[in-house]
C-alpha cells in the first residue's frame, strides 16, 4: 500500500481483516506509522517483494508514483485508486515513456476507483468496512493483461466491494455526473450560507443538510479531482447552467408579475419532476432497484439513550429498519427520528410504538428520504 490516507488505510484495514499480509509506505513516515498503529498492515521492509501494489496517492502525483512502482517491482501488478482515470492513464503512459519502460511494464498497470469515501480525511477516519457493497470500478487499458485485471478484481472483492469494469473515458463521464458535479453543486449551495445571519442559518432543516453534506470536503484534493476531469465536469455543469437559466427566468417573471408569467410555473414544476425521475434511478439498498419505503416519524427527547431505546423497540416489534434520519428541533431539547421501513410495516409499527408511549407524530409512505424545508 503506497499512500496511507483515508482510502489507502481503509483498504489496508479491509485486507488485514481478510487475512492478507499488507505492507505500508508513505512519503510521511508518521502517516505510515499511524496506519500501522491503526491495524492497516505493517511497515514495508527492504526484503519485501509485493505481488500487488496499490497506489493511494493524490491525483496530481498518482501517475508518477504508479510508474515508480512499475519500475521498482518488475513482477507486480500495480493499480491506483484515484477518482479520475483518463488523466492518470495518460500520465502513466507519458512517465513510462520518459523512463523508457517496456510495454510489458504498462501491461501490469490497471486503473481502479473504489466508489467510497467520507467527508473526513486521513487515516484516523479510515474504516475496514468502507467498501462493503460499494462499486469498485476497474478501468483496464488496451494493453492491460487479464492477469492484472484478475488481481485487482481479487483486491476489490476481498475489500467487500462489487466489481464494475468500465473503460477509463466512460468512467470519467459517469463520475462527472454522479460524483464530481454534485460536489461543485453542494459547495456552491453551502457557500450561500456564509453571509446569512445566525438566526437565518438557525432555520436550517434536513433539506439543506442533505444537499450540503459533501460540501465539508478537502479543497486541495477536490481541486485536483476536478482539474483531472475538467472536460467531463464542464459538460455536466454546462447542461446544469442551461437548466438553471430556465428556472431563473421563470422565477424572475413570477417576481415581476405572477399574473402574466404564463408558463413560468410549468418550468418550475418540470424542474422538480425531472429531479424526481432522476433520483428514482439511484440504486436502492444493496444496489437493488429503488424501493419505496414507509416512514414512521417519532418525536423524542434529546437525552442519552433515547434513540437506542427507540431502535430496540423497533427491533422487538419484529420490524427491519431500512434507513434512519434524525433532525433536531430549533430551540427545543427534542428531535425527530424518521424510521424508514417497508410500507406494509408502517401502520403496525406505529401502533406498537404508540402503545409503548412513544410520540408517533405522523406516518407516511415516501419514495425516499426527501422532504420539504
Amino acid at each position: 500500500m503506497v499512500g496511507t490516507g483515508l482510502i489507502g488505510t481503509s483498504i489496508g484495514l479491509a485486507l488485514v481483516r481478510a487475512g492478507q499480509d499488507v505492507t505500508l509506505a508513505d512519503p510521511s513516515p508518521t502517516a505510515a506509522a499511524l496506519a500501522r498503529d491503526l491495524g492497516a498492515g505493517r511497515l514495508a521492509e527492504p526484503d519485501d517483494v509485493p505481488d500487488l501494489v496499490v497506489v493511494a496517492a493524490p491525483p496530481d502525483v498518482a501517475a508518477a508514483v504508479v510508474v515508480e512502482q512499475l519500475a521498482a517491482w518488475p513482477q507486480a501488478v500495480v493499480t491506483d485508486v484515484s477518482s479520475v482515470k483518463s488523466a492518470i492513464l495518460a500520465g502513466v503512459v507519458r512517465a513510462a515513456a520518459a523512463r523508457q519502460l517496456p510495454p510489458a511494464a504498462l501491461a501490469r498497470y490497471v486503473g481502479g476507483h473504489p466508489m467510497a469515501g467520507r467527508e473526513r480525511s486521513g487515516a484516523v477516519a479510515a474504516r475496514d468496512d468502507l467498501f462493503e457493497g460499494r462499486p469498485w470500478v476497474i478501468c483496464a487499458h488496451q494493453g492491460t493483461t487479464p492477469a492484472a485485471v484478475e488481481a485487482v478484481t481479487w483486491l476489490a472483492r476481498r475489500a467487500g466491494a462489487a466489481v464494475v469494469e468500465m473503460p477509463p473515458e466512460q468512467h470519467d463521464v459517469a463520475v462527472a455526473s454522479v460524483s464530481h458535479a454534485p460536489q461543485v453543486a453542494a459547495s456552491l449551495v453551502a457557500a450561500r450560507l456564509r453571509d446569512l445571519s445566525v438566526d437565518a442559518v438557525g432555520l436550517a432543516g434536513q433539506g439543506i443538510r442533505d444537499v450540503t453534506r459533501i460540501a465539508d470536503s478537502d479543497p486541495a484534493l477536490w481541486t485536483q479531482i476536478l482539474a483531472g476531469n475538467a472536460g467531463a465536469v464542464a459538460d455536466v455543469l454546462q447542461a446544469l447552467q442551461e437548466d438553471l437559466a430556465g428556472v431563473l427566468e421563470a422565477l424572475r417573471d413570477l417576481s415581476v408579475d405572477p399574473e402574466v408569467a404564463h408558463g413560468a410555473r410549468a418550468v418550475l414544476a418540470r424542474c422538480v419532476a425531472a429531479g424526481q425521475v432522476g433520483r428514482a434511478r439511484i440504486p436502492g439498498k444493496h444496489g437493488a432497484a429503488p424501493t419505496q419505503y414507509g416512514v414512521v416519524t417519532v418525536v423524542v427527547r434529546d437525552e442519552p439513550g433515547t434513540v437506542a431505546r427507540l431502535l430496540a423497540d423497533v427491533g422487538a416489534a419484529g420490524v427491519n429498519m431500512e434507513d434512519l434520519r434524525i433532525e433536531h428541533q430549533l430551540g427545543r431539547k427534542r428531535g425527530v427520528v424518521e424510521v424508514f421501513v417497508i410500507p406494509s410495516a408502517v401502520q403496525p409499527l406505529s401502533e406498537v410504538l404508540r402503545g409503548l408511549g412513544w410520540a408517533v407524530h405522523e406516518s407516511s409512505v415516501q419514495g425516499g428520504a426527501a422532504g420539504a424545508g
Side-chain angles (χ1 to χ4, degrees), residues 72-86:
W73 311 109
Q75 304 302 318
V77 171
V78 179
T79 186
D80 74 289
V81 292
S82 297
S83 62
V84 293
K85 296 273 67 91
S86 297

Side-chain angles (χ1 to χ4, degrees), residues 13 113 124 127 146 150 173 181 183 198 239 241 255 264 287 324 333-334 357:
L13 290 170
H113 179 200
V124 293
R127 292 169 33 180
E150 182 179 350
V173 170
Q183 174 66 53
V198 173
Q241 182 183 46
S255 69
L324 178 74
K333 289 186 176 296
R334 286 185 173 81

Side-chain angles (χ1 to χ4, degrees), residues 1-2 21 25 29 88 103 150 172 191 193 260 277 288 298 334 345 348 366:
M1 187 66 55
V2 182
D21 181 25
I88 300 296
E150 182 179 350
D172 289 352
L193 305 178
V260 300
V277 173
V298 185
R334 286 185 173 81
Q366 296 183 9

